[in-house]
Amino acid sequence: MFLFEYIGVKCLDLGQPVLMLAVVYLSAFINAFPLFYHPASGISGNKDKYLQKKNYSMMEALDDSILSSAVTLVKVGGYIILFSILAELLQSMAAVSDIFKIAGAGILEITTGGEIIAGVQMPLYIKCIVISAFCAFGGLSSVAQTSSVLIGTDLSTKKYIFVKARQALIAAALAAVIFCYGL
């Protein structure tokens, strides 16, 4: 709904907002191909530590899952607020060029970045290409959110950033083809 309604309709006023959804999802699908040919070696270290069961009563397990979910929601919301504030601060800096402000907003937090890019005077297909890349990357806000969730695992934030940057490039290329000829 975010890509379809907020980005496609509210920010870009696309006649066919499903194209934005298609670009981001297709870029994710294409981006996954290298992973099929070079599968990860799995979780390094002792796999048993991830599979250990705790002896919880039903109520303890329920309480633990609710508390864990609430903490995760607060972290995610906090990162969205933090990066939105940073994007707005960037916009208020007089000494910063407009291009840097636009790129910075999209790289920091995509909701704020989408709104700022939507208000800029440039051809619609260029906006679509730029916003497609930013949506595929997800912004540094989503990197921080993901890193927060990955704490305590053997999963690499650096690899995550690399894969998301590659998806952004793929999305920009797809958007260039789709939106240059489809609008």
Side-chain angles (χ1 to χ4, degrees):
M1 292 311 296
F2 174 78
L3 291 170
F4 189 83
E5 286 294 324
Y6 182 75
I7 297 295
V9 174
K10 184 180 184 295
C11 291
L12 296 173
D13 195 27
L14 294 175
Q16 295 178 337
V18 73
L19 292 176
M20 182 60 65
L21 185 73
V23 166
V24 175
Y25 276 79
L26 186 58
S27 68
F29 182 74
I30 293 168
N31 193 30
F33 276 112
L35 300 176
F36 290 131
Y37 295 110
H38 302 288
S41 60
I43 298 172
S44 62
N46 185 1
K47 293 181 185 181
D48 293 334
K49 74 179 182 180
Y50 296 103
L51 303 176
Q52 290 175 351
K53 292 184 179 181
K54 296 180 181 178
N55 287 330
Y56 281 131
S57 70
M58 182 65 97
M59 287 308 295
E60 287 174 323
L62 182 61
D63 285 349
D64 191 39
S65 65
I66 290 171
L67 181 61
S68 177
S69 297
V71 168
T72 300
L73 284 172
V74 169
K75 286 181 183 180
V76 167
Y79 283 120
I80 291 170
I81 291 167
L82 172 66
F83 283 92
S84 292
I85 290 169
L86 291 174
E88 290 296 333
L89 282 173
L90 180 63
Q91 298 309 302
S92 67
M93 298 175 86
V96 177
S97 74
D98 288 341
I99 298 289
F100 187 75
K101 287 180 182 181
I102 294 166
I107 291 170
L108 285 170
E109 205 281 316
I110 190 56
T111 306
T112 306
E115 187 176 324
I116 290 168
I117 293 167
V120 174
Q121 292 296 325
M122 67 173 74
L124 180 59
Y125 75 94
I126 298 291
K127 287 182 186 182
C128 291
I129 293 168
V130 172
I131 289 180
S132 293
F134 288 152
C135 286
F137 179 69
L140 292 177
S141 174
S142 72
V143 170
Q145 293 167 38
T146 302
S147 293
S148 171
V149 173
L150 294 180
I151 291 173
T153 70
D154 291 339
L155 300 173
S156 169
T157 301
K158 289 179 184 177
K159 287 181 183 176
Y160 172 77
I161 293 169
F162 173 76
V163 170
K164 292 303 285 183
R166 184 175 62 202
Q167 183 183 349
L169 293 173
I170 294 166
L174 285 172
V177 171
I178 290 171
F179 290 112
C180 285
Y181 298 108
L183 292 178

